[in-house]
Each structure stands twice: as structure tokens, then as C-alpha cells.
Amino acid sequence: DKALIVDDSVGGASAGHKTKWATVEFVATADLRAEEATDKPADGAYAWMVIFACFISLMLSIGINDAYGVYQQHYQLTEFPEATTAVISWIGTVQFLIMCVGGVLSGFLCEHFDTRVLNAVGAVIMGVAFIGGSFCTTVGQLMATQGLLYGLGASFPFVAGTSIPSQWFTRRQGLATGIALSGSGVGGMWMTSATSALIDSLGRPWAMRVTGIVSMVAVLAVSPWMRVRLVPHRGEQIIDWTLVKDRRFCLFLAAMAFAIAAYFGPFYQMPSYSVVVLHKSESWGSNMDTLMNGLSVVGRLAVGMLADITGPLNLLVANTALAAFGLLVFWVPFNTVGTSIAVTLVFGFAIGGIVSVIPVVAAHVFGLARLPSIMGLLFISYFVGGLLGVPPMSALLDGVGQRTDYTSSIWYMAMLPVCSLLFLLAMRFTITRKLRVKV
């Protein structure tokens, strides 16, 4: 019985298999009845063009969100010094939350409409949002443009870029997905440095205009290659409610909520922490974010290559444990430059690996054909994670730390990957209790 569970969970159920997991049975049906959306073969040259398009789309959508720490630092220390950290952090939080809410809708739309058109629409909305934000002068206005409107536009390339890659590869699936998702880390890396330089040389309004134009043009340019390979049979339900009856999926949702809650804290708080606690310059603080994004790229690629060998869920567990280790060992007890750099290196690598392997785990455990809508449902947990993450951290920094003592905020950050790890272990042992199994 356990062998059947492991085989079905990793490779997808085959005809004749009987299993107690309802979702596995549904995945077999959905994958076997899936329709080809194109005559382009998997694993070919066109598939790699799709990976490149996903790379660029994620580089400009998630990369801009990852670089929000530079704006947070500028708003907090220069433009809106009278506003609380918690209020300012809501600009970036709203940006991500709307990406998640829009992601639920985008996931379903990607199954029934042309993802190339949806990606192009998202590109235009992203550009308009940042150009409009350049004319804003209050935190509320920036929440509406840089936050809400941008998040809505970015939800389309966010969903398409994370769900499409796995459909185009039967071999080296983990590597291909890792390369595509490394775009967000690359974007966060260079966008952090570029945003800081643009704000210093041109001012925040022109920094936003340049960002808006570049993101719109680049994502529009690659949209013709943002296409799915498989679509579910038109008789399938728009929402697969059997997923919520699957204990594995519920554990996965809970784990991802805490993982995403942990994701943004160091990116948002490290720049200001570097100035307030370490007494470094603002540019030094933004460089810490750049370094963290750089290591996240390494993590995405490394985990992408290893996922095909050791199993994606095993690696997701390992990287979540590494993220918790980095925060608990290097950041909680120390307030030094050396340990802060260690946090940046370890957490950056670990969180990059976590992000890159999530779609691969979803594809292996719950099936390829409905991956866009599965990722859309996962964005519900991302939404919860967005609420559990930066807002409470910022509130702790304001209320307990009086904007200078980051101890309580860092402790809270460190507990989030620990909670995620517990749910992932429960999911892993629900599938099989054997340790040396590729899952």
C-alpha cells in the first residue's frame, strides 16, 4: 500500500492503480484526459524558449517585488519619516497580497484563455502602475498604484511563469523550472542595485518611471512564448474541490503559508536594519538585499538540478530547515556585521531553493495538467502568508522595538520557517515514512 502511495505521488497515478488518495485518482484522470494546446514537442528547443520567456517575466514581476526593501528604506528614512514602519510596509505587502488574490483568478484564466495574451495584459498594467506611482506623494496613493495596481498586473506573469515550465519538460523538469524561477532572484538582485542607484541619481519619481517602462517593454517582448503545453479537458471543473479533501494538499497549503510569511521579512528589513543597528550606509543596506537575491539565484539553480535526483519534496524539507537554521543561529543571537552577512548568504540560498521547487512538488504530487489552477489555489496560502509575515514583523518593530530594536521582529521571523518545516514533515511522512525514498 505504501509503495503504491509513493509511486503515485512521485510519478502520477497510472491506469489501474487504486489508492486511498482522492486527489491522486483525480490527477490521473486530469492528466490522461488533458488536451495538447500546441504541436510543439516537450524537451525541445521551443521548450527552452518558453523557459527564457518565463525567466524574463518573473525577473520583472517578482524581481520588482523583491526589490521593495529599497523603497521601504527610502520611504522610512527619507520621504515619509513621520509614518510608522508598519504603515509603510503595507505598500509592499499590498503589492504581494494582490498578486496572490489575482493569482487565484489568473490560474483559472490560464487554463481557459491564451496565456500569451494574459501575460501581455499584465505587462501593460505593471507599467502603468509604476508610472502612475511616480506621481504619487502620499503613502495611501502609493498603496493604490505601487501596491494594488502593480500587484494585479504582476499576478498574470507570476502565475504563468511559475506554472508553465513544468509542463514543457518530461526530463530535467526540476532544472528547467529552477532556471525559469531563478529569474525572480536575478531580477531582485539587479533591480535592488538599479533602484537604489536610480533613486540616488534621479529621485524616486523617475526611478519608478524607468522601472515601469522597462518592465512593460521586456515582459511584452517575451509574451509570444508564454504558452501552456497542456490544458485540462473542457469537462473538468474550474475548481477542483477534491484537493481540499486531500490531507497532503492541506498540509502543503499550511506549509507554504508559513514559508511565504518567512520569505519577505529579511528582504524588507535587512536594508533598514543595516542602517539602524549596524550603523552602515543606506547603499550598504541595499547591497545586502542584492547579495541575498544573488544567493537565492544560486539556490534556485542548485535545487533545480538536485530535485531530479533526490526528489523535490525532500529538497523542500531540507531547504526549509536550512532557512530556519540561518535565522535562529546567525540572526537571533547576534547583532554583528559578520553574522548579518552569514544570514544573508544562508537564508538567501535556502529561500531561493524553496521558491524554485514549490511548482515541481505541486506537479509531482498533484499532476501537470491542472498545475496553473493548483498554483492559483496555492496563492490563497501565499495570501495568508503575506498577512502573517511583514505586517506583524513591522508591528513588533514599531511597538516592541520602538523602531530601533529588531529582536522581537527577528524572533518572529525565525519561527515562521520552523512552523513551515513541521507541516512539510507531516506531509512527507503522510506520503511515506521511509527516509531513503525519492519523493
Side-chain angles (χ1 to χ4, degrees), residues 41 140 155 178 293 402 432:
S155 67
N293 275 298
Q402 300 299 309
T432 175

Side-chain angles (χ1 to χ4, degrees), residues 284-432:
W284 198 92
S286 65
N287 287 337
M288 292 289 278
D289 255 11
T290 301
L291 181 61
M292 201 181 309
N293 275 298
L295 265 294
S296 78
V297 174
V298 177
R300 284 167 165 86
L301 295 175
V303 169
M305 289 186 287
L306 291 173
D308 297 321
I309 301 171
T310 63
L313 182 56
N314 291 337
L315 278 177
L316 183 57
V317 171
N319 272 61
T320 304
L322 183 61
F325 173 84
L327 295 176
L328 285 170
V329 173
F330 295 119
W331 210 3
V332 167
F334 304 105
N335 285 324
T336 67
V337 172
T339 53
S340 297
I341 293 175
V343 171
T344 299
L345 297 175
V346 174
F347 184 82
F349 179 90
I351 206 69
I354 290 170
V355 170
S356 72
V357 83
I358 290 172
V360 185
V361 172
H364 273 277
V365 179
F366 306 108
L368 278 172
R370 306 223 63 191
L371 190 56
S373 66
I374 290 170
M375 292 302 298
L377 290 173
L378 270 175
F379 290 147
I380 296 175
S381 73
Y382 289 9
F383 179 90
V384 175
L387 293 175
L388 288 174
V390 175
M393 293 176 204
S394 300
L396 285 169
L397 178 58
D398 285 333
V400 179
Q402 300 299 309
R403 302 186 73 174
T404 58
D405 184 354
Y406 285 70
T407 303
S408 59
S409 182
I410 293 171
W411 263 110
Y412 182 81
M413 269 186 262
M415 289 298 102
L416 294 172
V418 172
C419 293
S420 179
L421 179 61
L422 294 176
F423 282 109
L424 283 174
L425 288 172
M427 177 186 175
R428 172 64 170 76
F429 290 125
T430 296
I431 294 172
T432 175

Side-chain angles (χ1 to χ4, degrees), residues 41-111:
D43 302 300
Y46 189 87
W48 286 108
M49 284 300 299
V50 173
I51 295 300
F52 175 74
C54 292
F55 177 94
I56 297 297
S57 293
L58 291 174
M59 182 179 72
L60 275 306
S61 56
I62 308 301
I64 288 175
N65 185 256
D66 284 350
Y68 176 73
V70 177
Y71 286 104
Q72 170 95 9
Q73 181 189 62
H74 174 76
Y75 295 148
Q76 183 177 334
L77 302 178
T78 305
E79 193 166 348
F80 306 113
E82 73 286 351
T84 64
T85 306
V87 169
I88 293 172
S89 70
W90 271 104
I91 299 173
T93 301
V94 167
Q95 189 179 88
F96 180 71
L97 293 180
I98 297 302
M99 286 172 65
C100 295
V101 173
V104 177
L105 175 63
S106 299
F108 302 140
L109 291 177
C110 283
E111 289 187 349

Side-chain angles (χ1 to χ4, degrees), residues 194-214:
T195 300
S196 179
L198 285 169
I199 291 175
D200 289 342
S201 58
L202 301 177
R204 194 266 301 172
W206 270 106
M208 296 190 74
R209 287 165 200 153
V210 171
T211 300
I213 293 170
V214 169

Side-chain angles (χ1 to χ4, degrees), residues 54-55 57-58 119 156-165 177 180-181 226:
C54 292
F55 177 94
S57 293
L58 291 174
N119 206 66
F156 291 102
F158 184 20
V159 173
T162 54
S163 61
I164 289 175
T177 303
L181 269 66
M226 293 290 291

